[in-house]
Amino acid sequence: MNKIYAPILIFTVMLTLLLSGCGAGNSASDSSNESESASGNVTLTYGLWDQVQQPAMEKIIAKFEEQHPDIHVEIKLTPWNEYWTKLETAATGGNLPDVFWINGASLPKYASNNQLLNLDDYAKDTSLDFGNYPQGLVDIYTYDGKHYGVPKDMDAIGLWYNKSLFDQAGIPYPDETWDWNKAALAAQKLTDPANGIWGLPAQFQGQTGYYNTILEAGGGFYTDDGKKSLYDSPESIRGLQLQTDLIHKYKVSPTLAQMTDTSPKDLFKSGKVAMLIDGSWNVKDFATNEYTKNNVDVALLPKDKLRTSVIHGLANVGAANTKHPKEVIEFLDFLGSKESADIQGEDGTALPAFHGGQELWLKSVPQFHLQNLLDMANAAKALPRGPQNAKLDGLEEEYLKSAYTGESTPEEAAKAYAKAVNEAIASNP
């Protein structure tokens, strides 16, 4: 080889190797990751299911990004009927969103499989204070003594009523003196079969029906250790009967078959129901419906032994395997703040869970006495959550339905259900 060209050739080869080495293995995603790391910017994915709430969540994200310019949050919207299937698939593949919505029924599955961030591990680095939310709601998102969810909003249950029908019948509106006897008597006066008007439907649904009256009668759902059903207690049986009596004794409710054909809520929105036990999630709907926006209001639930109700609501959680735990915690901290609650409350779509963060929500629909819903939420207890290891799906509807159809008494239905639950728990210790 010519000695003059040898050094040039060696230099050329070395330069080629150096340049190729710098680019070796760099895919587009590798480059973006390096760029993300170098610039200090992080993108978090945020899973949710409600398109109606999306505008408020976008405002919350914009405020968060304003305060955290190095963090970008990207919403991943999945409709409710697909959300849980996709979430489970993502969890199986290790691809959960960094932050996502969850409900009380689903939390144990993800927490018990170590798929959620244990928020207590990060408490010292945040301003999170679980005393800022109703205890019943905090309990729902606590598993094995550890906090996994930051309460976002809450579902309060109240007694919605048709002011026009009350006025026509000359009956005073429901107030804090009402018990279930007063409610039933008023419902009888308001029921008008000739015009298709019902006084008070007994919805065959836990959250808007028998869960509330079971708690008000002093009953419960499971023992504290989760090893036994309480549905067969005298108090729980009475709570169930307070509902079914509306159908079979007082005749102020449509039958179960009739309510299956046309929902009580649709009847209420068309002026065919005088009173309806239902939730705070209806506020925006009732405030924009042409009939209900000026004809209805909401009161406290009638009381029995107690005045209480069940509470539920959504929580924000973080994926345990997120690549950005520090940023996830910062976002969760902001989502659980009063600042976030104010944005959500002003929108009026959901009742913020943060204590003191409901003022704007209370003012969002001034024609409704929304303070009554908030008072019910503050006196509420956690929505029942069965033992995670027991196969309880479908048992509640299967056994309690007969009390609504009249095929069995509330006592017979409750005892049969409790027996089935206890057997399911015993077979999966």
Side-chain angles (χ1 to χ4, degrees):
M1 179 181 294
N2 190 311
K3 291 182 180 179
I4 295 176
Y5 292 103
I8 297 174
L9 181 61
I10 293 170
F11 174 78
T12 302
V13 171
M14 290 180 66
L15 182 61
T16 302
L17 290 171
L18 179 62
L19 291 173
S20 64
C22 287
N26 274 11
S27 65
S29 68
D30 292 331
S31 298
S32 66
N33 287 341
E34 284 188 9
S35 173
E36 182 179 71
S37 176
S39 66
N41 291 332
V42 166
T43 295
L44 301 179
T45 52
Y46 184 28
L48 49 92
W49 64 70
D50 189 354
Q51 188 175 8
V52 176
Q53 290 195 51
Q54 185 171 345
M57 303 317 299
E58 288 173 346
K59 290 179 183 178
I60 290 170
I61 289 170
K63 180 63 69 173
F64 172 76
E65 290 178 343
E66 181 183 312
Q67 298 176 16
H68 300 80
D70 291 339
I71 305 176
H72 172 66
V73 180
E74 181 181 339
I75 286 178
K76 298 291 186 182
L77 178 71
T78 305
W80 169 266
N81 58 355
E82 302 171 21
Y83 185 86
W84 300 107
T85 301
K86 288 190 174 182
L87 194 68
E88 188 168 345
T89 301
T92 302
N95 296 312
L96 283 169
D98 295 295
V99 179
F100 56 97
W101 286 2
I102 203 166
N103 63 12
S106 302
L107 182 104
K109 177 169 68 175
Y110 291 92
S112 64
N113 287 310
N114 301 313
Q115 292 168 326
L116 304 180
L117 284 178
N118 175 2
L119 302 180
D120 296 325
D121 292 341
Y122 299 88
K124 66 181 185 302
D125 301 320
T126 72
S127 59
L128 277 176
D129 178 358
F130 290 98
N132 285 329
Y133 317 100
Q135 187 59 48
L137 195 55
V138 173
D139 291 345
I140 291 174
Y141 295 105
T142 302
Y143 181 80
D144 200 21
K146 302 178 179 67
H147 296 100
Y148 288 95
V150 179
K152 171 191 170 294
D153 55 45
M154 54 187 176
D155 297 340
I157 307 299
L159 183 69
W160 292 91
Y161 63 96
N162 186 316
K163 295 184 295 182
S164 296
L165 292 178
F166 271 75
D167 291 344
Q168 292 169 23
I171 299 173
Y173 298 155
D175 60 23
E176 69 279 359
T177 68
W178 271 40
D179 57 17
W180 279 97
N181 184 55
K182 275 191 176 182
L185 292 176
Q188 285 181 306
K189 295 176 182 177
L190 290 159
T191 298
D192 182 359
N195 290 302
I197 295 173
W198 297 99
L200 178 55
Q203 300 191 74
F204 182 43
Q205 209 274 340
Q207 191 177 7
T208 57
Y210 50 87
Y211 288 166
N212 303 291
T213 44
I214 284 174
L215 289 175
E216 289 203 315
F221 311 104
Y222 302 95
T223 54
D224 291 341
D225 60 11
K227 294 182 178 179
K228 191 174 183 296
S229 171
L230 295 174
Y231 270 84
D232 54 356
S233 70
E235 295 82 5
S236 295
I237 292 169
R238 171 174 170 75
L240 182 61
Q241 183 153 3
L242 286 173
Q243 292 287 324
T244 59
D245 276 354
L246 298 174
I247 302 173
H248 304 300
K249 179 179 178 181
Y250 297 108
K251 312 293 185 183
V252 298
S253 169
T255 65
L256 183 57
Q258 290 170 322
M259 288 186 283
T260 302
D261 291 339
T262 306
S263 75
K265 187 184 296 185
D266 286 341
L267 291 172
F268 185 71
K269 290 168 68 174
S270 61
K272 297 298 185 180
V273 158
M275 293 180 282
L276 184 74
I277 300 169
D278 224 306
S280 54
W281 56 84
N282 293 303
V283 169
K284 201 160 190 176
D285 183 16
F286 289 168
T288 54
N289 175 271
E290 193 60 34
Y291 180 82
T292 54
K293 65 182 181 181
N294 294 315
N295 286 312
V296 310
D297 202 349
V298 64
L300 300 171
L301 283 186
K303 63 183 176 182
D304 192 52
K305 182 178 180 181
L306 310 167
R307 176 176 280 118
T308 186
S309 64
V310 288
I311 190 170
H312 189 243
L314 306 184
N316 288 294
V317 295
N321 67 344
T322 178
K323 295 178 181 177
H324 310 292
K326 176 179 176 295
E327 290 80 6
V328 164
I329 291 298
E330 289 180 36
F331 187 40
L332 286 172
D333 194 6
F334 186 81
L335 288 171
S337 67
K338 185 177 185 298
E339 190 170 5
S340 178
D342 284 344
I343 295 172
Q344 188 174 240
E346 188 173 22
D347 178 76
T349 306
L351 170 55
F354 193 97
H355 285 317
Q358 298 98 5
E359 285 86 354
L360 293 176
W361 180 83
L362 290 172
K363 297 174 183 176
S364 66
V365 185
Q367 70 266 35
F368 295 164
H369 287 82
L370 298 182
Q371 182 64 47
N372 288 323
L373 284 170
L374 187 56
D375 289 345
M376 290 305 308
N378 289 331
K381 300 181 181 181
L383 195 76
R385 189 171 70 196
Q388 177 64 12
N389 58 344
K391 304 296 183 184
L392 303 176
D393 292 351
L395 291 180
E396 191 172 293
E397 180 176 357
E398 178 184 350
Y399 284 91
L400 299 186
K401 183 178 181 180
S402 62
Y404 281 74
T405 61
E407 297 172 79
S408 65
T409 66
E411 181 176 6
E412 290 167 342
K415 287 185 174 180
Y417 174 54
K419 183 175 182 291
V421 168
N422 291 337
E423 288 174 351
I425 294 173
S427 63
N428 294 274

